[in-house]
Amino acid sequence: MTVQTSMELPMAGSELDESDIQAVLNVLRSGRLALGPEAEAFGEELAQRVDARFGVAVSSGTAALHIAVRALGWGPGDEVLVPSFTFVASVNALLYEGVTPVFVDIDPRTFCLDPQCVEAALTPRTKGIMVVDVFGHPAPWGELLEIAQRHGLRLIDDSCEALGAEYQGRKLGSLADVSTFAFYPNKQITTGEGGMLVTDDPQIASLARSLRNQGRGEMGAWLEHPRLGFNYRMSELNAALGRSQLARLDRFMALREQVAHMYTQRLAKVEGIKPPVVEPDVRMSWFVYVVTLDEGIQRDEIVRTLKTHGVPSRAYFSPIHRQPCAAQWAPEEGSLPVTEDVAARTLALPFHNRLSEAQVERVASALEEALADRRD
Ligand SMILES: *Cc1c(COP(=O)(O)O)cnc(C)c1O
């Protein structure tokens, strides 16, 4: 069942079944709606799924990122490298803590950080890297871990788009000092709103539990707050839904992969676009399906034409250094050439677990027509 039914062909949608509904009802019937066993169990189960020791369930992916930055002790005067081609939350988590984001360019094939650009951006003030597995494609973890080790940097993995993905057989969630996942309804699994921080470090895990719970100590009294914290807790309702969804993650991933293959096969013959690249040494966890238009094609015109065919599409991402909220940290004009180029030409197509072959055909033929019609 696709939840978002307002449009016949939605951009995205989650998949909810009777077991999800029962899981939430059970929590309602139990009367225990917060600070209970569901959030703890969801943390443990998700950590286990991604080969991490500890999982701390929180209220959003953004909250997980914020806690990660705080737990690593990054603050004013520190520089952290981050792609501009990402969702705004990767950068906001740094800005909340007064960290200076240093925007780094990306690989034109995978849209993830380019290790050579990472090296070139290092300064004596660099404390770490906010790595993003863009669209569910793992970043070049081998090179990034090697750079981090050589320069004593710490890594956060913003894996909010990549639950279930693997790099050279290693699960994302087991590679960085701290990794984060998100469960908004367009993600691989959903809790409505929600997020997770995972780590192998018991001190980071303990600090994260405290930070999500108003800075309370794990053993202390309810009204003792040894540090400044937040209310970033996940409710029992959300956590129960998350556990129920997580049990079907492998199936969801397989369905999404199937839809992606249908698109890629169908679009292979279409002139004017490039389908997404999947490097041979990774397991992609498909989050969105994003094609790249050839140079010179007016993307806005394609979006408009698709719309007249009833096909939604989205320019995706709009680089963060171009956003007013982060403009202060924008690098010199022209210093992120790949990001600028890619961001001007990428187009997300409708994508969810249950997209049928007929719907893929409808999107593809509309795109084919839009590309043939264009006046340039
Ligand atoms: C979804 C997402 C997040 C977290 O989003 P929330 O809405 O706060 O759960 C963070 N980073 C990226 C790259 C994302 O796509």
Side-chain angles (χ1 to χ4, degrees):
M1 165 174 57
T2 294
V3 173
Q4 239 175 298
T5 50
S6 56
M7 272 192 298
E8 197 201 328
L9 191 57
M11 260 319 270
S14 43
E15 181 164 322
L16 299 173
D17 74 5
E18 202 51 40
S19 70
D20 296 322
I21 293 167
Q22 279 307 323
V24 176
L25 286 178
N26 289 343
V27 171
L28 283 170
R29 291 197 178 102
S30 79
R32 186 155 185 185
L33 306 187
L35 282 165
E38 293 291 335
E40 287 321 296
F42 184 34
E44 280 169 25
E45 288 163 8
L46 193 125
Q48 192 172 37
R49 177 63 178 76
V50 301
D51 287 343
R53 277 182 75 190
F54 306 103
V56 181
V58 293
S59 51
S60 70
T62 307
L65 286 166
H66 185 190
I67 289 179
V69 171
R70 174 71 71 92
L72 289 181
W74 295 342
D78 296 337
E79 292 179 0
V80 170
L81 312 188
V82 61
S84 175
F85 193 74
T86 183
F87 182 58
V88 71
S90 324
V91 178
N92 284 352
L94 300 172
L95 298 183
Y96 298 153
E97 293 299 313
V99 176
T100 302
V102 176
F103 292 109
V104 172
D105 216 355
I106 54 171
D107 179 322
R109 287 166 49 82
T110 65
F111 310 145
C112 294
L113 282 172
D114 177 337
Q116 281 192 352
C117 300
V118 166
E119 290 258 20
L122 296 172
T123 77
R125 290 177 301 282
T126 311
K127 285 295 191 307
I129 313 174
M130 175 71 80
V131 182
V132 185
D133 308 296
V134 178
F135 304 154
H137 191 294
W141 281 99
E143 287 103 317
L144 294 175
L145 287 164
E146 194 272 318
I147 293 170
Q149 194 160 41
R150 197 148 32 82
H151 295 276
L153 307 177
R154 304 191 86 184
L155 302 182
I156 295 176
D157 182 6
D158 179 348
S159 206
C160 289
E161 302 190 350
L163 178 60
E166 296 173 22
Y167 176 84
Q168 295 182 350
R170 297 166 74 190
K171 297 203 167 61
L172 300 192
S174 69
L175 298 170
D177 294 283
V178 193
S179 304
T180 63
F181 299 97
F183 314 119
Y184 185 75
N186 67 340
K187 310 283 178 173
Q188 287 86 340
I189 66 169
T190 188
T191 61
E193 297 279 3
M196 186 76 69
L197 176 153
V198 305
T199 182
D200 285 344
D201 183 329
Q203 278 175 324
I204 291 177
S206 165
L207 190 50
R209 287 174 196 285
S210 171
L211 289 171
R212 80 171 160 182
N213 191 21
Q214 304 284 19
R216 291 181 175 100
E218 278 197 84
M219 296 306 178
W222 186 245
L223 292 179
E224 274 176 33
H225 305 271
R227 62 184 62 82
L228 178 65
F230 312 95
N231 179 358
Y232 282 166
R233 298 182 303 259
M234 175 182 277
S235 88
E236 290 291 280
L237 299 161
N238 301 91
L241 179 53
R243 294 180 71 193
S244 174
Q245 289 258 306
L246 182 60
R248 307 206 300 291
L249 173 61
D250 289 321
R251 204 172 137 54
F252 292 173
M253 283 176 66
L255 288 168
R256 294 171 89 86
E257 186 161 37
Q258 231 170 34
V259 174
H261 280 316
M262 279 197 275
Y263 262 133
T264 298
Q265 280 195 334
R266 174 59 179 81
L267 294 175
K269 323 170 231 165
V270 177
E271 261 182 60
I273 54 161
K274 253 188 350 175
V277 172
V278 183
E279 295 288 11
D281 57 350
V282 307
R283 176 166 188 212
M284 178 105 177
S285 175
W286 289 90
F287 169 55
V288 282
Y289 191 89
V290 175
V291 298
T292 309
L293 303 175
D294 284 356
E295 262 171 71
I297 295 176
Q298 291 303 310
R299 182 175 53 189
D300 294 351
E301 201 179 309
I302 301 293
V303 170
R304 269 199 307 274
T305 312
L306 286 175
K307 203 171 165 200
T308 64
H309 286 82
V311 173
S313 63
R314 194 163 296 155
Y316 203 59
F317 287 115
S318 183
I320 305 307
H321 73 281
R322 294 265 177 215
Q323 307 293 328
C325 67
Q328 184 183 341
W329 293 272
E332 243 176 79
E333 192 70 34
S335 56
L336 300 172
V338 179
T339 298
E340 302 278 3
D341 177 51
V342 165
R345 299 198 281 129
T346 40
L347 186 68
L349 302 178
F351 188 73
H352 56 80
N353 297 6
R354 298 288 171 182
L355 213 63
S356 68
E357 196 157 3
Q359 285 174 313
V360 167
E361 177 55 37
R362 200 179 129 198
V363 174
S365 51
L367 185 57
E368 211 162 29
E369 267 183 56
L371 287 161
D373 281 358
R374 74 205 157 80
R375 295 154 271 128
D376 57 7

